[in-house]
């Protein structure tokens, strides 16, 4: 069985999507439509902007979404048995599996990006990657940091967990992680504490927009970040998407569940190969490739 997977923030690079735009009329139409909906020339930034421009959350999120959805739209024999996306990638997965229209998906992603940026500015915070510690130990250390917000945010693969929280909280936690035996505790160059309670203002804002958007019955189940389980009911998918901003991304558990449910081949749609690397670390026997 084939699972199609969609990357999140951090996979962007200058020049992304240019080949799709030049080689496929269908992709070109999506790019042109995106410029119209967003009200600025995102394709110009994607194809020939600077790293700095591309790194702004308001640009990064729609750019990765656009690249991922366009790649799925022109992929040969696109017939997923299941889909999943990492954080932002969940929106790409929902459009590719026909739960959301491209236009609605893009509008939600842009709203999400702006709401997250505003939450970051209102409450300076950050994230850090913890390498070489078991998940349970990382959770235990986070819980032991008093008076600050620190939580496990991204379960990426065994031995790689990202934590999220206040600047001071992350600083303290990184020290404690090293004392507990972590190989590395690396602060990440991100604008804020994604997938933590500090994203509550963004969640509230996005919740309203999600509730007002039409979600349809998709062509296959989506394994959602919040519980790593397959979902097909549009109302359930909505609720899980609302919770996603403050809940952890259970990527390890999602891939494990997809394998349990029969996935043998994971196809990544979108820029880069980050997810293929994570899948191989979670399930060595899985076949991985990029969408063509």
């Amino acid at each position: 069985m084939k699972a199609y997977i969609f990357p999140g923030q951090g996979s962007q690079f200058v020049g992304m999507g240019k080949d799709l735009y030049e080689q496929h009329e269908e992709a070109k139409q999506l790019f042109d439509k995106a410029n119209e909906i967003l009200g600025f020339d995102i394709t110009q930034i994607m194809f020939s902007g600077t790293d700095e421009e591309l790194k702004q959350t308001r640009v990064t999120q729609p750019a990765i979404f656009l690249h991922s959805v366009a790649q799925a739209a022109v992929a040969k024999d696109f017939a997923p048995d299941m889909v999943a996306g990492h954080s932002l990638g969940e929106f790409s997965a929902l459009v590719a599996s026909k739960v959301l229209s491209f236009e609605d998906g893009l509008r939600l992603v842009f709203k999400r990006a702006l709401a997250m940026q505003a939450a970051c500015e209102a409450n300076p915070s950050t994230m850090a990657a913890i390498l070489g510690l078991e998940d349970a130990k990382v959770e235990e250390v986070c819980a032991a940091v008093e008076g600050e917000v620190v939580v496990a945010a991204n379960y990426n693969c065994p031995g790689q967990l990202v934590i999220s929280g206040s600047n001071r909280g992350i600083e303290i936690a990184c020290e404690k992680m090293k004392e507990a035996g972590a190989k590395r505790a690396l602060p990440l160059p991100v604008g804020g504490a994604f997938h933590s309670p500090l994203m509550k203002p963004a969640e509230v804002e996005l919740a309203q927009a999600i509730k007002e958007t039409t979600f349809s019955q998709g062509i296959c189940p989506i394994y959602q970040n919040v519980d790593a389980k397959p979902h097909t009911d549009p109302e359930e998918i909505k609720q899980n998407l609302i919770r996603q901003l403050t809940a952890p991304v259970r990527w390890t558990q999602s891939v494990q569940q997809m394998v349990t449910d029969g996935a043998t081949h994971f196809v990544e749609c979108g820029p880069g190969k980050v997810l293929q690397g994570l899948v191989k670390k979670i399930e060595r026997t899985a076949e991985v490739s990029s969408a063509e």
Side-chain angles (χ1 to χ4, degrees):
M1 285 173 86
K2 256 188 194 177
Y4 281 78
I5 51 178
F6 298 81
Q9 210 161 332
S11 295
Q12 68 277 7
F13 62 90
V14 174
M16 61 191 276
K18 198 165 189 285
D19 53 340
L20 293 169
Y21 184 89
E22 289 169 351
Q23 290 163 20
H24 301 275
E25 180 56 34
E26 193 179 348
K28 183 180 182 298
Q29 285 173 7
L30 292 175
F31 281 95
D32 292 343
K33 200 179 279 181
N35 291 337
E36 211 176 291
I37 291 170
L38 295 171
F40 67 93
D41 195 343
I42 193 167
T43 49
Q44 188 271 323
I45 301 174
M46 288 168 71
F47 300 167
S48 55
T50 63
D51 283 333
E52 275 313 303
E53 287 175 301
L54 202 50
K55 240 180 14 204
Q56 298 168 35
T57 296
R58 64 185 281 277
V59 176
T60 313
Q61 293 197 16
I64 290 171
F65 166 85
L66 177 54
H67 185 290
S68 302
V69 170
Q71 194 164 29
V74 302
K76 282 201 283 286
D77 312 320
F78 182 78
D81 296 300
M82 51 186 90
V83 292
H86 191 291
S87 188
L88 157 73
E90 195 157 280
F91 288 83
S92 314
L94 288 168
V95 172
S97 62
K98 307 276 193 282
V99 173
L100 277 174
S101 71
F102 170 72
E103 294 81 351
D104 284 343
L106 182 61
R107 286 191 191 99
L108 287 177
V109 164
F110 192 47
K111 190 171 248 320
R112 178 183 191 264
L114 296 176
M116 285 169 82
Q117 203 150 340
C120 295
E121 284 159 14
N123 209 335
S125 49
T126 192
M127 301 174 86
I130 310 302
L131 306 180
L133 267 191
E134 288 195 1
D135 292 355
K137 191 68 192 166
V138 174
E139 291 163 358
E140 189 186 305
V141 172
C142 287
V145 177
E146 289 173 4
E148 297 287 345
V149 173
V150 186
V151 295
N154 297 351
Y155 292 79
N156 284 336
C157 66
Q160 187 191 326
L161 213 165
V162 174
I163 60 171
S164 191
S166 64
N167 289 341
R168 180 82 189 114
I170 293 295
E171 205 179 303
I172 297 166
C174 282
E175 283 311 309
K176 286 182 181 288
M177 297 288 179
K178 285 177 195 158
E179 285 163 21
K183 282 187 194 144
R184 302 180 80 178
L186 304 166
L188 297 174
V190 294
F194 305 144
H195 302 289
S196 84
L198 295 174
M199 283 291 122
K200 195 69 193 170
E203 184 185 276
V204 171
E205 201 173 316
L206 192 61
Q208 197 48 42
I210 287 173
K211 281 176 189 153
E212 290 164 2
T213 301
T214 304
F215 280 56
S216 307
Q217 193 75 38
I219 56 173
C220 66
I222 177 163
Y223 286 67
Q224 289 189 276
N225 290 177
V226 296
D227 63 1
K229 294 191 172 90
H231 293 277
T232 52
D233 176 75
E235 276 313 307
E236 267 178 34
I237 291 171
K238 270 189 182 187
Q239 290 311 316
N240 289 336
L241 206 54
I242 290 168
R243 284 172 50 215
Q244 195 223 54
L245 271 186
T246 54
V249 174
R250 300 189 179 280
W251 188 251
T252 302
Q253 298 86 335
S254 298
V255 172
Q256 287 167 338
Q257 191 58 52
M258 290 161 103
V259 169
T260 299
D261 294 348
T264 52
H265 187 174
F266 289 79
V267 184
E268 185 164 5
C269 279
K273 296 183 174 183
V274 171
L275 297 183
Q276 292 170 62
L278 295 180
V279 167
K280 281 306 244 186
K281 286 181 178 146
I282 297 164
E283 178 51 62
R284 246 182 242 120
T285 62
E287 197 184 325
V288 298
S289 61
S290 296
E292 288 176 0

